[in-house]
Amino acid sequence: MQPRGTEPMSIRGAAYVAGIYEHPGRDLPTHTIWDIHTEVAMGALADAGLSMGDVDALFCDGTAGFGVLTLCDHFGIRPKYVDSTETGGSSYLAHVGHAAAAIAAGKCSVALITLAGKPRTGSPPVQWAQGPESGFESVWGMAGAPHSYALAAQRHMYEFGTTSAQLAEIKVAASTHAQYNSNAFLKNVVTVDEVLNSPLVADPLHRLDCCVVTDGGGALVVVSPEIAKKLGKTQAKVLGHGEAVKHTNNGRIDLTYTGAVWSGPLAFEEAGVSVADIDYASIYDSFTITVLQTIEDLGFCEKGKGGEFVMDGALIAPFGRLPFNTDGGGLSNNHPSNRGGITKVIEAVRQLRGEAHPAVQVPDCQIALAHGTGGSLGSRHGSVTLILGQHDA
Amino acid sequence: MNRLPTPAPVVTPTTQAFWDATSEGRFMLQHCVACDAVVWFPRNHCPECFSPELSTFDCSGHGTVYSYTVIRKVANAYKEATPFVVAYVELKEGPRIMTNIVDCAPEDVSVGMAVTLVFHDTGAGNALYRFRPTSQ
């Protein structure tokens, strides 16, 4: 036996996602973000069969006031482990990985992760401190995520011949799923032509290549195996997690791939599974190009072949080659606070529990992947891959 | 033809020399004395080998479009200038830098096209570096 402390540590099986909750609201004019944090926290704890008094670890992003300080005060709790990792919309997947590691290390046993925001009805924009690159990126008229992601889409098209019609297939699949979700912001099924005929926002991205802007939020409860056993109900087992930051690399930015090329292998290795084992995937869909590049980078197809891969209904549940985003994703259902990471985990857990809408439930879904992409493909972003399994996986 | 606004950039003690040079029509790149890397964006260490020993040189002003987008709608200072082009230009010296393509219609911009540096005075003691199609 190796001396204590030298064993390679893994989070495989060290924790379970025991509670999930997606706020049903998409327009919440009379809520504060703190009201939303409370509602999603209570929702996820009730789903797990736990209460706020059981929480001994708290995770949130960097937009929630003074982060965990504000939220501990607001909730009225005194956790022994806190984490405000901020990687944009991928933060909440990182939080699951970090919570599992903290649980494995014996630091805590009931971790609460919450997200809330109101981009539709009144959150002031988050004020970030200016980065060292600011003077060189903020003067050219770029004003939002679509502009940055468009740069990635254009280069991908140039190198690999990817077409706007192929990107549109991704929105078509998401909208096909959203028709079954009564809470979805957009419930209408769209065609490739409708995507192509929607106005160009930033060439080559059309309006329907972009995710929705919604108020709302979500929460997750991650627990130790001991707590999971006591709770008894169906939970999702954390099998693996990987995270990476991709940036401009000293002027050598390559817009054709994402940080999933690094986060993916870490997660697959830890989980001990391969792409062929993935029954369902929640793939971050801030834009259609985000999905296409991620599918390639995670290894579901060869680099540059994502356009071919997504055609012919490949992403449509339950029988496509890679059923994805069965809640309708950020493209049609919900992208609360301009961050789609927590909803990616929530739908993956629904699939593993067999609780997705019957029209899109993948039969006997045993292994699910959730991937988050936060920040901008056109400059710097955080990629986090999470692999979850059924309770006995 | 310059129909784009020329907002003054954020200048820090680290980037003062770079922006001062733009007022003289120079685009200055850093070079790492220790490992020979070209450094972009300006900083006080080499992000390749972490050495603090950096020298500077003027770039040739020639490059090609690495990627671009045509922005159709914005709510910022560029509101009246739509549609306009934001691009990454790959300089002959290596770095891919974010900029605007000017002096041509947005539909005439393409990935791989040759471009040449121009400067647009901000009125704040420096100039924005932009690129126009290279004359044949």
Side-chain angles (χ1 to χ4, degrees):
Chain A
M1 187 178 159
Q2 291 176 299
R4 185 177 165 76
T6 62
E7 309 92 334
M9 194 170 130
S10 163
I11 61 167
R12 194 185 195 287
Y16 291 78
V17 182
I20 54 172
Y21 187 80
E22 178 182 6
H23 201 287
R26 303 291 181 265
D27 270 293
L28 298 167
T30 61
H31 282 66
T32 67
I33 69 165
W34 316 112
D35 296 333
I36 301 170
H37 275 288
T38 301
E39 290 178 18
V40 297
M42 295 306 182
L45 287 163
D47 180 55
L50 293 164
S51 71
M52 191 61 90
D54 298 313
V55 173
D56 66 359
L58 183 68
F59 295 70
C60 66
D61 63 33
T63 72
F66 208 131
V68 290
L69 307 192
T70 300
L71 273 188
C72 287
D73 190 354
H74 171 66
F75 288 146
I77 58 175
R78 192 174 61 80
K80 55 186 182 181
Y81 196 89
V82 293
D83 179 332
S84 308
T85 296
E86 174 60 272
T87 57
S90 61
S91 300
Y92 323 94
L93 293 100
H95 295 160
V96 173
H98 298 183
I103 289 167
K107 295 286 188 183
C108 55
S109 56
V110 177
L112 172 65
I113 302 165
T114 64
L115 159 71
K118 282 163 51 82
R120 291 193 71 75
T121 63
S123 288
V126 178
Q127 294 295 318
W128 305 104
Q130 283 169 333
E133 78 292 347
S134 179
F136 307 96
E137 294 182 8
S138 64
V139 289
W140 313 117
M142 300 262 280
H147 306 153
S148 177
Y149 284 72
L151 292 168
Q154 188 82 262
R155 184 69 193 186
H156 199 277
M157 289 178 167
Y158 174 80
E159 289 201 24
F160 303 116
T162 306
T163 66
S164 290
Q166 290 170 333
L167 290 177
E169 292 278 0
I170 295 165
K171 167 69 178 184
V172 170
S175 73
T176 301
H177 298 152
Q179 67 181 309
Y180 304 109
N181 181 349
S182 58
N183 292 326
F185 186 74
L186 300 175
K187 299 181 191 70
N188 59 313
V189 180
V190 302
T191 64
V192 168
D193 282 345
E194 283 175 297
V195 179
L196 299 183
N197 291 329
S198 65
L200 280 165
V201 173
D203 306 24
L205 296 181
H206 298 80
R207 186 171 184 183
L208 294 184
D209 285 302
C210 307
C211 65
V212 299
V213 176
T214 46
D215 294 348
L220 306 166
V221 179
V222 182
V223 303
S224 66
E226 294 72 28
I227 302 277
K229 202 170 179 181
K230 280 185 206 157
L231 295 174
K233 61 178 291 189
T234 310
Q235 294 132 359
K237 191 177 192 173
V238 178
L239 299 180
H241 143 268
E243 59 191 42
V245 175
K246 180 168 176 277
H247 51 67
T248 61
N249 193 23
N250 188 29
R252 290 193 302 269
I253 190 167
D254 184 333
L255 295 173
T256 63
Y257 70 94
T258 74
V261 296
W262 302 310
S263 66
L266 291 169
F268 280 114
E269 186 184 357
E270 186 165 53
V273 302
S274 71
V275 289
D277 299 311
I278 303 299
D279 298 309
Y280 163 83
S282 283
I283 297 187
Y284 204 87
D285 56 348
S286 46
F287 300 91
T288 51
I289 185 63
T290 322
V291 177
L292 190 124
Q293 290 202 9
T294 304
I295 285 172
E296 296 174 351
D297 296 339
L298 290 174
F300 288 106
C301 67
E302 237 179 274
K303 189 69 210 171
K305 302 285 189 194
E308 288 170 37
F309 182 88
V310 300
M311 290 171 74
D312 309 323
L315 302 180
I316 297 177
F319 302 118
R321 287 192 294 283
L322 181 66
F324 101 126
N325 298 9
T326 41
D327 60 336
L331 289 169
S332 288
N333 170 32
N334 194 11
H335 199 68
S337 195
N338 295 326
R339 287 154 174 259
I342 209 155
T343 42
K344 295 294 165 291
V345 181
I346 289 170
E347 184 66 6
V349 173
R350 290 191 192 115
Q351 281 284 350
L352 291 167
R353 289 179 177 180
E355 293 174 1
H357 188 284
V360 293
Q361 174 66 48
V362 175
D364 191 28
C365 181
Q366 296 198 16
I367 309 278
L369 176 149
H371 182 87
T373 310
S376 288
L377 285 196
S379 56
R380 51 200 67 78
H381 63 268
S383 289
V384 186
T385 311
L386 195 61
I387 298 175
L388 304 171
Q390 280 191 354
H391 195 95
D392 301 324
Chain B
M1 176 178 77
N2 171 35
R3 53 182 191 80
L4 296 184
T6 50
V10 175
V11 180
T12 70
T14 309
T15 62
Q16 185 78 51
F18 174 88
W19 288 110
D20 286 351
T22 62
S23 70
E24 301 162 6
R26 294 187 297 120
F27 185 108
M28 214 163 70
L29 284 165
Q30 292 175 306
H31 168 257
C32 176
V33 174
C35 79
D36 212 29
V38 176
V39 174
W40 178 256
F41 42 85
R43 59 198 106 182
N44 291 327
H45 73 281
C46 169
E48 309 279 344
C49 75
F50 317 114
S51 164
E53 284 187 73
L54 300 172
S55 61
T56 60
F57 68 103
D58 289 348
C59 95
S60 66
H62 298 295
T64 54
V65 174
Y66 171 74
S67 192
Y68 72 97
T69 182
V70 183
I71 295 184
R72 304 279 170 177
K73 196 177 167 186
V74 281
N76 59 25
Y78 282 67
K79 187 176 178 183
E80 305 299 327
T82 55
F84 64 95
V85 176
V86 173
Y88 269 108
V89 164
E90 182 174 308
L91 299 174
K92 192 179 164 193
E93 292 78 9
R96 292 169 183 162
I97 66 170
M98 195 182 285
T99 186
N100 298 121
I101 305 298
V102 296
D103 296 349
C104 73
E107 55 269 25
D108 292 337
V109 177
S110 60
V111 176
M113 79 187 280
V115 289
T116 302
L117 182 63
V118 294
F119 287 97
H120 292 159
D121 190 359
T122 66
N126 48 44
L128 296 185
Y129 47 93
R130 287 172 170 149
F131 290 79
R132 61 171 171 76
T134 301
S135 313
Q136 295 304 309

